Amino acid sequence: YRQDTPVRVELNLQHVRYLYRAINRVPAGEKPRVCQAISNTPLLQARDKSALAKVWASPVKVYLPRTVTGIGDLEAFFSATPTASFILPDYMTATVDVAGWCNFLLEIGCADRPRRLQKPNAGFATQDWLLEGLEATVASLEQTPIPEALSLSEAVWRLLLRSLPDSAWERNRWSHGKREIYGRRGGYLGSEDFEASFLSQLKQTAWLFGQDGKLHKPSELFQDTPKN
């Protein structure tokens, strides 16, 4: 799959179906290494809106469609990001265990929620984060008819809730970047946390609908109280 000559489609279907059946027979100590190797190999047939033909993609570059997850939120979320790739449903047959396939595809690196990506050019000794597709999605809301925009806004909300880690410490780490601080002579002075770019964007952009049927920033809809 890393050669210039493409694998025949029928053979690829056999390969991936075999991996689905065999992955749970891999010893537990070796499974992470095997999944890591698969995740970076362009062995999945996928499609995005920017290409008419199928493309070969690594699992770490591919999202799961409604046919796998049973939920169409990701397709709605990436409607404004034509380069987002979704795996083709061809690998599953009519009698297949859909939940089992979903677990397998997640194990090898596919995603069922927007990926958190490191922001390029964040600055010296700075680690900042973006959510893939978020900027294009929230920017498209104002140009989208209200019924569709409302559905899209709700999809963003649900995907964010599903993306949140369980503990407060993990949520804080997930939603913040880190910057190392150095003195004038180059001595290390420590580090500081700051709101990740995607969190600032969610705070500063009107992407939630209020009872008036209009888009609002979150701060306009939720009172700043300890309960909230």
Side-chain angles (χ1 to χ4, degrees), residues 126-181:
T126 300
Q127 188 178 53
D128 195 5
W129 301 100
L130 304 170
L131 286 186
E132 186 174 12
L134 178 65
E135 183 174 1
T137 298
V138 296
S140 71
L141 285 169
E142 291 187 354
Q143 287 77 43
T144 304
I146 288 181
E148 291 86 349
L150 177 58
S151 296
L152 177 55
S153 174
E154 292 173 347
V156 174
W157 176 267
R158 288 190 294 267
L159 287 169
L160 288 171
L161 290 182
R162 289 171 52 204
S163 298
L164 282 174
D166 293 331
S167 71
W169 181 84
E170 290 174 323
R171 286 195 295 272
N172 184 73
R173 185 181 179 189
W174 177 77
S175 61
H176 285 73
K178 185 177 290 290
R179 181 183 298 111
E180 295 181 349
I181 303 172

Side-chain angles (χ1 to χ4, degrees), residues 204-221:
Q204 297 167 9
T205 306
W207 64 277
L208 289 171
F209 276 90
Q211 292 181 337
D212 58 1
K214 298 179 181 179
L215 287 167
H216 293 271
K217 299 177 182 178
S219 59
E220 299 169 348
L221 300 175

